[in-house]
């Protein structure tokens, strides 16, 4: 009987750093396990990623040889598959490789249906559980723990977006109320002035002591008339006036 | 008598001054609204598509109200100087009509600001951006406008790239989630227009994609315009109110 694979205490997990795309609707990212397979891996071994639905992870059986590796297209029926088979050297302590593995990033192999292990996009939101499996020539040599269930994003329909504003801004209320009151005052004043004029003209009344009731605003300044001197003619001598004008006759 | 003459002259002077200010403000309002209607800032296709062209209507009303205010101010100056009851009555009534129109324009512009929520643009973007069978030309314009917007402002989506993840969209129908978590325009592009680091962009590594939303870039210019039309019109109307009250007081003092 082949020896059961060694159980490594490492738990695969989604990277803790802030990456906006670490979990999308069809892909997710995993932190690359560095130095985890040290001591168990030979140069010729490969590390595989087992992806299974969370409720099917308990029933997953490790493949006994490389020929039994479940491919990507068996996911709907077998509820699990293995992918991302890479040389164990890339998981060693000193390997300079990107710190993140992206599961589901290869759309070409899904469309072309190749038989190679395919890192195709995940068809449903899951949840999924993953573990790393170290495969040698004779079968699995070591495995990590199963990860926590990873739930992918579910997108909502844009028809659920409500574009109506939740509350009216205060600007509208201020402008509307002030302008409405100003308009009302103006209309009232106009109607009142017109009405007062008509009332006044109907009742033939003066309109009171308006300080500037006048025909036009050009003032006519009429100076008071000066008394004209009476014209004196030489022959005119009104009776009763002094006789100093005429000389008396000579004495007899 | 001399004292009332002075009062009359002061009132005349104030009314003429008030009308001069109204005339100048009318010209300014017309100029501002013409600038807004023919604005070159390019966000207009987005607003046109929202079918919420209230701000456009408010601007057009503003143009005509501005010209009317200018013409009426000249009429008012002539009426005050000649102390003609007929002219001033015509002036007052036409001014009231103009007041009503400008009031409508102000309230429309102010309430339009409220309606430009992020959700409005989000819904429009999700439903129309990169639509594969564009129903009409406006869908193409929306796509072009968004591409330019995201390229020039280094932004993505309305609130952020997660808009494309949280909602399905017309874009998502033709571009798979694994290859395009968000459009390529959201990535940091090099001089050739290609993403600097495509894998980094897809993963959302800071520095390789634009993480902020475009809402500020859209709403900024539109809000400025709406404020200009709404509050400037409001100020003009308050001043017009005072001038009209003074004119009515003057008019009631003229006697044939």
């Amino acid at each position: 009987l082949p020896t059961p694979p060694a159980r490594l205490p490492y738990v695969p997990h989604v990277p803790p750093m802030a990456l906006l795309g670490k979990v999308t609707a069809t892909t997710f990212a995993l932190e690359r396990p560095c130095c985890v397979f040290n001591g168990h891996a030979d140069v010729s071994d490969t590390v595989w990623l087992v992806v299974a639905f969370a409720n099917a992870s308990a029933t997953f059986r490790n493949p006994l040889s490389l020929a039994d590796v479940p491919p990507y297209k068996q996911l709907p029926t077998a509820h699990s598959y293995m992918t991302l088979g890479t040389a164990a050297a890339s998981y060693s302590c000193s390997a300079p490789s990107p710190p993140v593995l992206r599961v589901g990033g290869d759309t070409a192999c899904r469309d072309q249906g190749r038989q190679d292990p395919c890192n195709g996009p995940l068809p449903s939101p899951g949840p999924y559980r993953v573990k790393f499996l170290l495969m040698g020539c004779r079968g699995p040599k070591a495995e990590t723990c199963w990860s926590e269930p990873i739930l992918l994003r579910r997108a909502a329909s844009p028809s659920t977006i409500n574009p109506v504003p939740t509350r009216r801004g205060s600007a509208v209320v201020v402008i509307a109320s002030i302008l409405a009151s100003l308009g009302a005052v103006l209309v009232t004043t106009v109607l009142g002035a017109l009405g007062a004029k008509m009332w006044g003209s109907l009742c033939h009344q003066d309109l009171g002591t308006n300080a500037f009731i006048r025909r036009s605003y050009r003032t006519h300044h009429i100076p008071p008339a000066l008394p004209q001197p009476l014209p004196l003619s030489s022959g005119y001598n009104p009776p009763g006036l002094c006789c100093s004008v005429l000389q008396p006759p000579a004495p007899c | 008598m001399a004292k009332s003459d002075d009062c009359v002259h002061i009132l005349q002077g104030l009314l003429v001054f008030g009308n001069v200010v109204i005339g100048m403000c009318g010209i300014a309002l017309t100029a501002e609204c013409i600038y807004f209607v023919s604005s070159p800032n390019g966000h207009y296709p987005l607003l046109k598509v929202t079918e919420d062209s209230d701000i456009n209507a408010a601007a057009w009303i503003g143009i005509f109200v501005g010209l009317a205010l200018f013409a009426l101010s000249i009429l008012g100056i002539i009426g005050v100087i000649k102390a003609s009851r007929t002219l001033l009555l015509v002036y007052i009534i036409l001014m009231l009509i103009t007041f009503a129109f400008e009031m409508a324009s102000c309230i429309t512009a102010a309430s339009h600001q409220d309606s430009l929520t992020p959700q409005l643009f989000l819904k429009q973007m999700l439903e129309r951006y990169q639509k594969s069978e564009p129903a009409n030309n406006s869908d193409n314009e929306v796509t072009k406008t968004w591409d330019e917007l995201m390229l020039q402002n280094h932004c993505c989506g309305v609130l952020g790239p997660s808009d494309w993840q949280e909602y399905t969209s017309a874009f998502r129908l033709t571009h798979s989630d694994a290859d395009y978590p968000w459009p390529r325009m959201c990535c940091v592009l090099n001089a050739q227009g290609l993403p600097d680091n495509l894998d980094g962009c897809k993963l959302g590594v800071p520095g390789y994609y634009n993480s902020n939303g475009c809402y500020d870039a859209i709403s900024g210019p539109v809000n400025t315009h709406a404020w200009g039309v709404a509050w400037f019109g409001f100020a003009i109307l308050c001043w017009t109110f005072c001038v009209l009250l003074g004119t009515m007081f003057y008019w009631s003092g003229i006697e044939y």
Side-chain angles (χ1 to χ4, degrees):
Chain A
L1 280 173
T3 53
R7 185 87 179 197
L8 302 170
Y10 175 77
V11 177
H13 51 271
V14 174
M17 49 202 127
L19 295 172
L20 195 61
K22 57 185 174 186
V23 175
T24 71
T26 54
T27 67
F28 61 94
L30 288 174
E31 196 178 61
R32 177 186 287 270
C34 265
C35 244
V36 171
F37 303 103
N38 222 13
H40 299 269
D42 294 332
V43 174
S44 58
D45 294 340
T46 48
V47 177
W48 291 80
L49 181 72
V50 180
V51 181
F53 285 106
N55 50 7
S57 61
T59 55
F60 177 77
R61 295 285 163 262
N62 293 331
L64 296 171
S65 67
L66 285 172
D68 293 333
V69 165
Y72 164 73
K73 52 189 205 296
Q74 268 188 21
L75 178 60
T77 49
H79 303 298
S80 60
Y81 70 106
M82 286 170 66
T83 183
L84 281 182
T86 39
S90 58
Y91 291 93
S92 66
C93 302
S94 53
S97 38
V100 159
L101 295 168
R102 194 162 183 245
V103 179
D106 191 356
T107 46
C109 69
R110 170 193 64 182
D111 298 332
Q112 289 164 18
R114 289 189 297 211
Q115 294 284 14
D116 297 337
C118 175
N119 186 18
L122 298 162
S124 74
Y128 298 95
R129 295 179 87 169
V130 299
K131 72 172 180 181
F132 287 93
L133 192 62
L134 178 69
M135 298 278 287
C137 309
R138 294 198 204 106
K141 289 167 79 171
E143 62 179 5
T144 64
C145 301
W146 283 104
S147 69
E148 295 297 319
I150 299 172
L151 186 63
L152 301 184
R153 285 204 196 224
R154 268 195 205 94
S157 164
S159 55
T160 57
I161 303 174
N162 186 13
V164 174
T166 46
R167 56 178 190 86
R168 280 271 161 228
S170 55
V172 183
V173 175
V174 166
I175 288 183
S177 58
I178 292 183
L179 288 184
S181 50
L182 292 186
V185 167
L186 279 180
V187 170
T188 315
T189 318
V190 168
L191 291 178
L194 281 176
K197 285 290 168 194
M198 283 194 218
W199 174 269
S201 63
L202 280 175
C203 296
H204 302 290
Q205 278 175 4
D206 232 3
L207 265 172
T209 56
N210 247 332
F212 48 87
I213 295 177
R214 54 183 70 240
R215 181 186 296 268
S216 80
Y217 290 105
R218 276 177 287 117
T219 56
H220 296 289
H221 185 69
I222 304 173
L226 293 168
Q228 299 282 342
L230 289 172
L232 280 177
S233 63
S234 56
Y236 177 71
N237 194 10
L241 270 179
C242 63
C243 308
S244 59
V245 176
L246 287 173
Q247 291 288 342
C252 41
Chain B
M1 277 308 201
K3 198 168 163 197
S4 72
D5 279 352
D6 285 342
C7 287
V8 165
H9 283 132
I10 289 172
L11 184 59
Q12 274 185 315
L14 285 176
L15 288 178
V16 168
F17 171 70
N19 277 304
V20 165
V21 170
I22 289 179
M24 293 195 301
C25 289
I27 296 286
L29 183 67
T30 302
E32 186 197 12
C33 292
I34 287 179
Y35 173 70
F36 177 72
V37 167
S38 65
S39 173
N41 69 4
H43 297 317
Y44 193 53
L46 290 182
L47 289 179
K48 217 164 45 164
V49 166
T50 61
E51 279 127 35
D52 187 16
S53 51
D54 284 349
I55 190 65
N56 197 31
W60 278 103
I61 292 179
I63 292 177
F64 290 112
V65 162
L67 291 174
L69 283 177
F70 179 68
L72 284 178
S73 71
I74 295 178
L75 177 69
I77 292 174
I78 296 174
V80 164
I81 291 180
K82 289 176 89 170
S84 154
R85 278 171 71 90
T86 330
L87 277 183
L88 285 181
L89 189 61
V90 168
Y91 166 82
I92 288 173
I93 291 180
L94 288 180
M95 265 297 203
L96 282 181
I97 296 175
T98 312
F99 190 96
F101 271 103
E102 180 60 19
M103 196 164 86
S105 165
C106 280
I107 294 177
T108 308
S111 66
H112 177 80
Q113 266 177 266
D114 287 344
S115 71
L116 292 183
T117 53
Q119 281 72 29
L120 181 73
F121 291 110
L122 182 64
K123 188 164 179 151
Q124 177 204 81
M125 179 186 79
L126 291 171
E127 288 175 353
R128 299 200 193 216
Y129 177 73
Q130 299 250 10
K131 201 163 169 184
S132 50
E133 286 122 44
N136 46 16
N137 208 23
S138 64
D139 289 339
N140 283 336
E141 280 184 29
V142 170
T143 303
K144 255 195 320 198
T145 308
W146 270 106
D147 282 337
E148 274 174 31
L149 196 62
M150 293 199 281
L151 189 64
Q152 281 168 10
N153 297 88
H154 304 293
C155 57
C156 183
V158 173
L159 301 169
S162 49
D163 291 342
W164 303 102
Q165 286 291 309
E166 283 170 26
Y167 297 97
T168 58
S169 52
F171 173 77
R172 183 60 64 224
L173 291 175
T174 45
H175 298 80
S176 69
D177 171 82
D179 274 337
Y180 296 89
W182 31 77
R184 286 283 181 266
M185 282 297 176
C186 294
C187 299
V188 172
L189 303 176
N190 58 13
Q192 282 81 32
L194 297 170
D196 253 352
N197 185 338
L198 189 57
D199 290 327
C201 180
K202 288 190 207 172
L203 266 176
V205 179
Y208 293 121
Y209 76 111
N210 301 320
S211 55
N212 44 325
C214 298
Y215 178 65
D216 291 332
I218 300 172
S219 70
V222 176
N223 266 350
T224 315
H225 286 142
W227 270 69
V229 173
W231 287 104
F232 185 50
F234 177 74
I236 291 178
L237 287 184
C238 287
W239 180 264
T240 307
F241 171 76
C242 299
V243 172
L244 277 179
L245 275 187
T247 311
M248 276 189 257
F249 178 66
Y250 181 79
W251 176 83
S252 64
I254 305 173
E255 175 111 359
Y256 280 120

